[in-house]
């Protein structure tokens, strides 16, 4: 029989060549199908099963392709469920030769009857896409009637199957895709469609950054502009004017200050945070430490305390205090 085979994994699709291959035998529970249409995915050439069997042994030259539709020509021993001459479609085993050939061997459990009004080409395009959609919706998603389904790429192979199966199960289907696929997705049964190419409308930006946050005055509170330049009302408040003056002052200060490090002194520029921190430290020192402006004495002139650096000591007794102390001690004796 004629078939398409691959022998070099590095060659990719360029390495696919026609060749003569022997017809496959019908093993136990196998079905020999004369292929009328087959499906091929280019990524199959990257699958390990295309090049090795289940024991990891090389099986080249191998025949790619796994989806098929055709007519049964022979049955293996113990095969049930299908008859010779029946129209079928299905999926071949990953580790066996595929469907890009005139005949292929398939397990009977991997085939299903193909209705007479369905073309072979349509039947060969269903197995992988249909199984992927069915497993996602019912095996994993547990879809029930009344639930919503978001189908990405609703006009693609899997997306069209998801749309039809979900619609048949009573779900609300929302499809996504490009603008050109909108009508196709709706024709397959999507209730809604989200155009991914349509950009959302951008909000018009106001001239002033603070216009949205500015609080408008009532009509009777607004004062007319005495200058008459604006031919309207003045909306500038004292707080706004003070804020603008402060902003102008800060901008002038930043512009006048050299950027980066001072090349002459080699020191780092003092930031506003450091200025603020130093002011706080000076205030704390004034409150917690004694005044040293009077040669180590406290600012209270009658205070008996004396300060030496940061140590506070009691003054030495005067002669008058010593006389009083000795008189009191003698009277007590």
């Amino acid at each position: 029989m004629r078939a398409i085979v691959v022998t070099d994994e590095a060659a990719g699709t360029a390495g696919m060549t026609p060749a003569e291959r022997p017809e496959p035998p019908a093993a136990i529970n196998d079905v020999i199908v004369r292929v009328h249409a087959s499906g091929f995915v280019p990524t199959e050439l990257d699958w390990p099963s295309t090049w090795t069997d289940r024991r990891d042994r090389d099986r080249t030259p191998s025949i790619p392709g796994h989806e098929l539709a055709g007519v049964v020509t022979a049955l293996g021993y113990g095969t049930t469920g299908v008859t010779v001459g029946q129209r079928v479609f299905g999926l071949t085993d990953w580790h066996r030769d595929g469907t890009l050939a005139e005949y292929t061997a398939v397990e009977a459990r991997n085939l299903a009857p193909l209705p007479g009004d369905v073309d072979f080409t349509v039947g060969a395009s269903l197995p992988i896409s249909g199984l992927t959609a069915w497993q996602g919706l019912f095996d994993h998603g547990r879809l029930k009637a009344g639930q919503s389904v978001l189908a990405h790429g609703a006009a693609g192979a899997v997306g069209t199957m998801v749309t039809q199966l979900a619609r048949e199960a009573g779900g609300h289907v929302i499809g996504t895709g490009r603008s050109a696929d909108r009508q196709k997705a709706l024709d397959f049964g999507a209730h809604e469609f989200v155009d991914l190419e349509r950009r959302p409308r951008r909000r018009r930006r106001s001239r002033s950054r603070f216009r949205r946050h500015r609080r408008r005055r009532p009509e009777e509170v607004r004062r007319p502009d005495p200058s008459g330049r604006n031919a309207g009302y003045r909306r500038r408040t004292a707080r706004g004017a003070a804020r603008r003056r402060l902003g102008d002052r800060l901008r002038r200060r930043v512009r006048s200050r050299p950027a980066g490090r001072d090349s002459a002194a080699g020191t780092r520029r003092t930031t506003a945070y450091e200025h603020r921190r130093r002011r706080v430290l000076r205030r704390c020192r004034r409150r917690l430490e004694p005044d040293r402006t009077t040669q180590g004495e406290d600012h209270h002139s009658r205070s008996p305390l004396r300060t030496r650096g940061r140590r506070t000591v009691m003054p030495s007794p005067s002669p008058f205090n010593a006389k009083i102390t000795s008189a009191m001690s003698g009277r007590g004796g």
Side-chain angles (χ1 to χ4, degrees), residues 131 133-143:
L131 288 174
W134 182 277
Q135 292 171 0
L137 288 174
F138 303 108
D139 294 346
H140 301 287
R142 308 291 182 182
L143 178 64

Side-chain angles (χ1 to χ4, degrees), residues 233-287:
Y233 296 99
R234 294 186 61 185
R235 299 178 182 176
R236 297 182 178 180
T237 61
R239 181 180 300 177
R243 184 185 303 154
R244 283 187 293 275
R245 287 195 299 271
L246 178 60
D248 295 339
R249 189 183 307 167
L250 291 176
R251 280 192 290 272
R252 288 194 299 270
R253 184 175 180 180
V254 170
R255 290 172 184 171
S256 61
R257 182 179 298 174
R261 299 175 64 90
D262 188 359
S263 58
T267 57
R268 187 170 54 87
R269 185 178 63 189
T270 305
T271 61
Y273 170 79
E274 293 176 352
H275 281 296
R276 191 161 54 249
R277 179 172 171 272
R278 292 176 183 179
R279 285 199 300 269
V280 173
L281 291 176
R282 283 196 296 268
R283 291 173 187 172
C284 294
R285 288 169 183 167
R286 292 195 198 105
R287 294 179 182 178

Side-chain angles (χ1 to χ4, degrees), residues 73-257:
T73 59
L75 302 177
Y77 179 79
T79 302
T80 58
V82 292
T83 58
V84 176
Q86 185 179 3
R87 291 163 49 96
V88 293
F89 74 106
L91 197 66
T92 62
D93 192 286
W94 256 233
H95 292 271
R96 300 177 66 176
D97 282 338
T99 60
L100 297 184
E102 293 180 340
Y103 295 91
T104 187
V106 192
E107 292 186 60
R109 60 179 182 176
N110 293 335
L111 295 174
L114 182 67
D117 57 346
V118 179
D119 188 66
F120 285 113
T121 305
V122 176
S125 65
L126 292 178
I128 292 180
S129 303
L131 288 174
T132 302
W134 182 277
Q135 292 171 0
L137 288 174
F138 303 108
D139 294 346
H140 301 287
R142 308 291 182 182
L143 178 64
K144 297 180 181 179
Q147 293 181 332
S148 297
V149 177
L150 179 63
H152 290 294
V158 179
T160 54
M161 296 301 300
V162 169
T163 302
Q164 296 176 81
L165 291 175
R167 182 70 180 263
E168 189 69 21
H172 182 82
V173 183
I174 304 173
T176 67
R178 300 181 177 181
S179 303
D181 299 331
R182 178 184 183 87
Q183 192 58 43
K184 183 179 179 181
L186 296 177
D187 292 342
F188 273 102
H191 296 86
E192 303 177 38
F193 184 81
V194 179
D195 189 355
L196 300 181
E197 291 183 340
R198 183 178 180 183
R199 296 181 179 180
R201 298 181 62 182
R202 302 179 63 179
R203 295 185 60 182
R204 185 177 179 182
R205 298 184 62 181
S206 59
R207 290 184 178 179
S208 175
R209 293 172 55 192
F210 305 102
R211 179 170 295 180
R212 289 181 299 173
H213 307 287
R214 187 179 299 169
R215 192 173 183 180
R216 294 187 177 182
R217 290 186 174 186
E219 194 70 25
E220 61 275 5
V221 179
R222 296 177 183 174
R223 296 174 296 178
D225 186 2
S227 62
R229 289 177 298 179
N230 298 329
Y233 296 99
R234 294 186 61 185
R235 299 178 182 176
R236 297 182 178 180
T237 61
R239 181 180 300 177
R243 184 185 303 154
R244 283 187 293 275
R245 287 195 299 271
L246 178 60
D248 295 339
R249 189 183 307 167
L250 291 176
R251 280 192 290 272
R252 288 194 299 270
R253 184 175 180 180
V254 170
R255 290 172 184 171
S256 61
R257 182 179 298 174

